[in-house]
Amino acid sequence: MGKILIKNIKGLVQYGEDLPKFRRGTEMNTLPILENAFLALQDGMIVAYGSMDDWGGITDWRDLEVIDAEGKYVLPAFCDSHTHTVFAKSREEEFVDRINGLSYEEIALKGGGILNSARKLAEMSEDELFEQAMNRIELLKTYGTGALEIKSGYGLSVEAELKMLRVVKRLKAESGIAIKATFLGAHAFPIEYKENHRGYIDLIINEMIPKIAEEGLADYIDAFCERNYFSVDEMAEILEAGAKIGLRPKVHVNQFSALGGIKKAVVMNALSVDHLEELIDEDIDALKDSDTMATILPSCSHFLSIPFGDAKRLMENNIPVALASDFNPGSTPSGNLQFVWSLACVKMKMTPEEALNALTINAAYAMDLTATHGTISVGKQTPILITKEMPNLAYIPYAFGDQHIERIIA
Ligand code: NIG
Ligand code: FE
C-alpha cells in the first residue's frame, strides 16, 4: 500500500489520542472533528494527522500517493458488530407473505424463517457459501464497512454449523477486513428437536462446542433468547458452556419480548446485548452500570415493521449504544450502514453525532476492536473512509438512500 497523504480534508472526524473505550449516554453527542486537516498513512497505519495550518509532518515525499480531499470528510470506517453475512439464499417469498399480512413469528411457526435458511444452507457447498459471502463483503466495503462480525446459526446441525464457521475462518483470512466469528448454534430448534429441547442443547454443548474449540472457529457465543426460541435458562446454559472455552456472549435478546435475558446476559459478562426493540425497567437497571454494549438494529425494525429500539431512553440512562445492520436474508436483507445511520436519526431521534459514535467507537468495542478500529488515532491500523463532497457531515444521514462514500482505504 505504501505511503498515502490525504490533504485539504474538510473535516477529519472521530480523531484523537487516549480516547475512552466507548462513549456512553450523553457523551455520545461528542464527536471530535478537525477542520481543514491532513492525514498520513503508511502501509495502512495512521502515522500523523493535524491541521493544514501547522503542516510539517511529511519529510520524505518519495513514493507518496497524495489525495486531495477538498470539500470531503475523512472518517474511520464503520464497524458492523452484528451480521449473518454467511447464508445460502434470499427469502423474498416471506417478504411477500408479510406484505400480505403474516407476521415474522407466524411465518417461522409454519416452517419458514431461520429453518427455511437452514434447509437451503445444508445443501450448499462450503466453497459456494464462501464465494457468495465474499461478494457480499465486497459490496459492504463500498458502503463503508471496515470490520464485520459474522454469526453461524443457519446450520443447526454439527456438520452445517462447522461448515458456516469454516467459511467465516476463510473470510477472516481473505476478505481484507477484520472479521469476528460468533457461534449461534442456538438460533432456533431444528424441527426434529421441536419437542426435545434437551436433545438439541446437549448437541450444542457436547458436540458442537468441543469441535469449535478444537478448530478455533469462534470468538463469541450467541443465543436467540425469545419465546418459541430459547428461554433465559436455556440461553444461560449454552453461554456457560461457551464461556468454558473462552467465548464471551453477544446475544439476541428482547426482539419481540422482554423475558429477562438482558439481566442474565449482563451478569454473564456479555460484550453486547443486541436487538432491544422491547425494553422494560429491569433491562435498563441491568445495563446502567455495566460495560455491556446495548446494540440496536434499526434496519431490522424497518424491514419487519416492528418497534425501533429506544436509543434515547438508553442514552438518558447513561448506557452506551452501538448500531449494527443485522444483515441476514430474513429480517434485514441490507448491510448498508449509511442507511442504518439515517434510520437511527430519523426513526430513533439520535443526533448524527450520536449515531456515528454508535457506528464507530462503540461498535468497535462491541467486537473487541478498540485497539485497531473505530477512531482515527496514531498507530492504529484502521480502515479509513473518504466521503464525496458535501456541505456537512449530517448530509450523510439526511440524504438517505444515496451512496456518500467515495473511497475506502482498508
Ligand atoms: O437477528 N432474530 C433472530 N435472528 C435474525 C433473523 C434470522 C432470520 O430470519 O433468518 C435477526 O433478526
Ligand atoms: Fe441477528
Side-chain angles (χ1 to χ4, degrees):
M1 187 184 275
K3 291 182 279 189
I4 297 177
L5 171 66
I6 311 173
K7 64 174 188 177
N8 298 327
I9 301 167
K10 183 179 170 87
L12 182 69
V13 183
Q14 192 70 303
Y15 75 97
E17 306 304 311
D18 303 317
L19 295 174
K21 58 186 176 182
F22 53 69
R23 294 198 173 96
R24 66 190 316 150
T26 49
E27 294 163 7
M28 287 180 66
N29 214 11
T30 302
L31 180 71
I33 302 184
L34 183 63
E35 287 172 13
N36 192 29
F38 76 92
L39 173 69
L41 302 161
Q42 173 125 30
D43 299 319
M45 194 207 279
I46 295 165
V47 290
Y49 61 80
S51 164
M52 291 295 288
D53 298 333
D54 41 55
W55 171 258
I58 307 287
T59 48
D60 182 359
W61 289 80
R62 283 169 297 178
D63 308 317
L64 186 66
E65 181 192 352
V66 180
I67 300 170
D68 193 338
E70 179 97 51
K72 302 169 185 175
Y73 288 86
V74 168
L75 49 152
F78 307 126
C79 297
D80 198 342
S81 68
H82 180 137
T83 85
H84 309 249
T85 304
V86 175
F87 58 87
K89 292 232 167 66
S90 55
R91 303 204 318 245
E92 302 85 310
E93 59 293 343
E94 296 178 8
F95 169 60
V96 175
D97 283 347
R98 273 200 311 281
I99 292 169
N100 288 324
L102 290 184
S103 72
Y104 180 84
E105 285 171 294
E106 285 163 343
I107 292 166
L109 285 173
K110 62 175 193 128
I114 295 163
L115 297 183
N116 183 1
S117 279
R119 277 192 301 274
K120 289 166 172 167
L121 187 130
E123 291 158 14
M124 192 168 276
S125 74
E126 190 179 308
D127 283 341
E128 196 176 340
L129 282 169
F130 172 79
E131 291 303 325
Q132 284 200 18
M134 195 68 147
N135 290 339
R136 289 180 199 122
I137 292 173
E138 286 307 323
L139 180 64
L140 297 182
K141 283 192 214 171
T142 67
Y143 293 141
T145 300
L148 204 57
E149 182 260 16
I150 305 178
K151 300 171 191 300
S152 69
Y154 291 130
L156 310 182
S157 69
V158 179
E159 185 193 1
E161 281 295 310
L162 291 173
K163 177 166 74 175
M164 286 190 80
L165 290 170
R166 288 185 189 122
V167 169
V168 180
K169 191 172 188 175
R170 284 170 67 186
L171 294 169
K172 283 186 177 189
E174 294 178 47
S175 67
I177 59 171
I179 290 182
K180 293 288 176 110
T182 300
F183 170 53
L184 177 55
H187 200 189
F189 286 99
I191 302 238
E192 59 276 28
Y193 289 98
K194 206 168 174 223
E195 305 302 330
N196 178 16
H197 285 194
R198 187 70 257 157
Y200 187 59
I201 293 168
D202 285 344
L203 191 74
I204 291 176
I205 294 175
N206 301 328
E207 307 281 335
M208 297 184 192
I209 289 179
K211 294 220 170 60
I212 288 164
E214 213 175 280
E215 288 186 46
L217 288 175
D219 303 296
Y220 306 110
I221 186 152
D222 191 350
F224 186 17
C225 182
E226 187 58 64
R227 61 173 176 245
N228 299 327
Y229 295 85
F230 291 79
S231 69
V232 175
D233 287 343
E234 289 169 341
M235 172 190 78
E237 190 182 350
I238 292 159
L239 299 185
E240 203 169 298
K244 286 196 183 123
I245 65 157
L247 307 182
R248 216 176 148 185
K250 276 172 76 65
V251 291
H252 283 75
V253 274
N254 293 44
Q255 183 174 6
F256 302 106
S257 43
L259 306 175
I262 291 182
K263 190 171 171 188
K264 190 73 190 174
V266 168
V267 170
M268 298 187 78
N269 192 33
L271 180 57
S272 71
V273 287
D274 303 17
H275 269 292
L276 319 187
E277 288 87 343
E278 303 294 331
L279 276 179
I280 55 174
D281 291 348
E282 172 196 299
D283 300 324
I284 299 284
D285 289 341
L287 286 167
K288 243 179 207 164
D289 300 307
S290 80
D291 276 358
T292 298
M293 185 59 65
T295 300
I296 298 183
L297 315 167
S299 19
C300 173
S301 296
H302 165 72
F303 190 70
L304 295 186
S305 301
I306 60 175
F308 285 81
D310 196 344
K312 279 218 116 39
R313 183 173 173 202
L314 290 163
M315 290 187 296
E316 277 159 18
N317 282 282
N318 204 34
I319 293 165
V321 175
L323 290 163
S325 75
D326 199 18
F327 187 24
N328 77 76
S331 73
T332 323
S334 161
N336 184 339
L337 291 175
Q338 294 175 60
F339 182 56
V340 168
W341 190 353
S342 190
L343 281 176
C345 297
V346 175
K347 297 293 186 184
M348 292 156 50
K349 303 294 174 223
M350 293 179 87
T351 64
E353 291 79 11
E354 287 166 345
L356 188 62
N357 274 313
L359 285 165
T360 55
I361 186 171
N362 287 10
Y365 173 84
M367 49 197 302
D368 285 313
L369 289 177
T370 305
T372 49
H373 288 66
T375 67
I376 293 182
S377 314
V378 170
K380 273 196 179 182
Q381 192 90 29
T382 195
I384 297 291
L385 305 182
I386 305 176
T387 69
K388 296 180 177 171
E389 284 187 35
M390 54 185 62
N392 50 54
L393 196 63
Y395 187 79
I396 298 181
Y398 157 83
F400 72 92
D402 279 348
Q403 165 63 298
H404 298 290
I405 306 302
E406 185 170 273
R407 179 167 172 190
I408 178 166
I409 302 173

